[in-house]
Amino acid sequence: MIERHMVSTAFEIPGYTAEKSLGVARGIIVRSRSVVGSIGASLQTIFGGNISLYTALCERAREDAYERMVAQAVSLGGNGIVGMRYDATEIAPGVTEVLCYGTAVLLRNT
């Protein structure tokens, strides 16, 4: 498992040198809202502010995509990920794809 401090949106991790780039590691998750969740969120929109049901759904989707990316980086032989990014696309009404990707690298202490 790659520890969280070994994943960065930057293209380097301070104190480490990338010995080898192992390619793109990605994690994809597709989520949909439940009918009950959609009704609850619709009620929250009436009052404005944070829509906690959607926030929780987005957080879970991002975490799942992140964990899948890390697993793929490990399977490539990496112990770090640089240039990590998220992307999301609505592929159908109420169905969203969340992608987490970065470059899997083999790092060593400098």
Side-chain angles (χ1 to χ4, degrees):
M1 185 52 110
I2 296 174
E3 296 180 39
R4 289 199 178 266
H5 73 278
M6 300 297 276
V7 178
S8 178
T9 58
F11 294 104
E12 62 184 39
I13 297 178
Y16 294 87
T17 300
E19 286 189 335
K20 187 175 184 182
S21 175
L22 303 168
V24 174
R26 62 180 168 72
I28 299 172
I29 190 80
V30 177
R31 295 270 186 203
S32 67
R33 299 182 302 257
S34 70
V35 172
V36 173
S38 292
I39 292 169
S42 294
L43 291 173
Q44 284 184 326
T45 61
I46 292 170
F47 301 104
N50 181 35
I51 304 170
S52 60
L53 292 170
Y54 286 155
T55 300
L57 177 68
C58 291
E59 284 293 336
R60 277 194 313 274
R62 282 183 173 226
E63 184 63 27
D64 289 348
Y66 176 90
E67 293 299 331
R68 289 180 183 205
M69 175 196 63
V70 168
Q72 189 174 55
V74 168
S75 74
L76 293 170
N79 64 350
I81 299 170
V82 295
M84 194 272 304
R85 302 286 188 268
Y86 285 105
D87 192 16
T89 305
E90 185 175 35
I91 58 177
V95 179
T96 302
E97 167 212 28
V98 176
L99 170 65
C100 185
Y101 61 96
T103 302
V105 291
L106 183 58
L107 298 169
R108 69 172 168 81
N109 282 335
T110 54

